[in-house]
Amino acid sequence: DREMVANATGCSSIYSGSVPSTPYTTNEKGHGPAWANSLFEDFCEFGLGMELANEKMRDRIVKLFNQILAGENAPAEAKEVLKAWIENMYDADKTKELAPQIEAIIEQGIAAGCPVCKELKGLTHFLVKRSQWIIGGDGASYDIGYGGLDHVIASGKNVNILVFDTEVYSNTGGQASKATNVGAVAQFAAGGKDVKKKDLAGIAMNYGYVYVAQIAMGADRNQCLKAIAEAEAYDGPSLIIAYAPCINHGIKGGLTIAQQVEKEAVEAGYWHLFRFNPALADEGKSPFSLDSKAPTGDYKAFMMREVRYNSLMRANPERATVLFDKAVANSKAKYDHLVEMQNMYADEFGKKD
């Protein structure tokens, strides 16, 4: 009910912005997310602009509150409420609690002829701390809009980026992106992509002050919700990368079994679940948590249930075998690296899992 969404053009903008269907709703007060769409090459800057504008408007509120506090006309009780808001302006629950009281104070001030209160009347929708989210696909996040994404997380601002990773440019017809996995067939990779997927999560974690998580709802709903809640609570930039089965994958069984596919992707080691929370380091705890277990499924069997992989095996078995072996090796190396990270942080913070 306090969410702001900057959405990149793509599949998520189609199903989010099409009438009469929408994945968003409102509560009993009529409050819900505010959503807007931009190009997929500038969606992160678009979201950062929302956050900067919100900060500027809330700075105006502080300035006007301070004018009232410095004056002699406001009742002492009203001044205490305004002081409490200034002290807790970044606390979502507290600002929700104080907002109705402040709105009543403003109305009383307007009735008494207060010009500052009249100006504050137009700013009351900025009283509750907003939650800024930036949503896009892997084409936008890993590739064409990556420069903007990197700029935004490097800004240190309190924004949350959610990436739907389909491993291909989905909405524009299935072109390969830097998120496309080794061996996958896509436009501009008709013979199967032969270089490994970009490690967007690893790049972001190297900043040290960015909350980072990889999730797959069908594999672990609790981990998914925990990551989203932690990202929202983190006072700084966050990046959540979600595995997203896509029609371009050509999944045997179709997208009706997408949640099951996500589960099998994690079991096969095709996708890994983890969270990196810098706030825990400030508490003397390990910031890194590897949430998926060692793979138990068959990586190649998982690949072969999807047309993007099995089409290469049919067309060029020799090349497919080479690339699929490479993909398996990359996956094992990635999981081993994540285990090493977990042990490194555990050793540093005195607890080995």
Side-chain angles (χ1 to χ4, degrees), residues 64-80 82 105 108-117:
L64 294 170
F65 279 5
N66 282 327
Q67 288 183 31
I68 294 174
L69 293 173
E72 300 178 354
N73 296 323
E77 297 83 359
K79 288 187 175 183
E80 288 301 316
L82 302 187
I105 291 169
Q108 292 168 9
I110 292 173
C114 171
V116 177
C117 293

Side-chain angles (χ1 to χ4, degrees), residues 9-186:
T9 295
C11 295
S12 59
S13 66
I14 303 307
Y15 61 67
S16 295
S18 298
V19 176
S21 176
T22 174
Y24 302 108
T25 188
T26 56
N27 61 17
E28 67 281 358
K29 296 180 180 178
H31 298 163
W35 182 94
N37 179 74
S38 188
L39 303 173
F40 65 175
E41 55 263 46
D42 70 354
F43 74 115
C44 285
E45 298 96 316
F46 181 55
L48 179 61
M50 288 182 178
E51 174 63 19
L52 294 176
N54 182 55
E55 287 182 6
K56 183 63 67 175
M57 301 305 281
R58 299 186 98 219
D59 286 344
R60 282 183 61 192
I61 292 176
V62 172
K63 181 180 178 181
L64 294 170
F65 279 5
N66 282 327
Q67 288 183 31
I68 294 174
L69 293 173
E72 300 178 354
N73 296 323
E77 297 83 359
K79 288 187 175 183
E80 288 301 316
V81 174
L82 302 187
K83 284 181 185 177
W85 187 90
I86 293 173
E87 293 169 358
N88 298 279
M89 62 184 292
Y90 301 111
D91 184 323
D93 291 335
K94 193 66 177 177
T95 54
K96 270 189 179 182
E97 175 190 329
L98 292 170
Q101 301 175 51
I102 294 172
E103 289 173 3
I105 291 169
I106 290 171
E107 292 297 335
Q108 292 168 9
I110 292 173
C114 171
V116 177
C117 293
K118 189 173 182 180
E119 186 174 350
L120 281 167
K121 173 75 172 178
L123 299 171
T124 54
H125 53 296
F126 293 101
L127 288 171
V128 176
K129 179 187 177 294
R130 297 184 178 184
S131 179
Q132 181 64 55
W133 285 82
I134 300 169
I135 299 175
D138 58 274
S141 305
Y142 284 74
D143 209 341
I144 198 167
Y146 170 72
L149 183 148
D150 183 66
H151 174 73
V152 170
I153 62 175
S155 73
K157 293 296 183 180
N158 190 5
V159 297
N160 308 290
I161 302 173
L162 175 61
V163 178
F164 296 131
D165 193 347
T166 64
E167 301 187 322
V168 69
Y169 279 93
S170 299
N171 195 52
T172 54
Q175 296 84 6
S177 80
K178 291 185 179 71
T180 303
N181 197 32
V182 169
V185 172

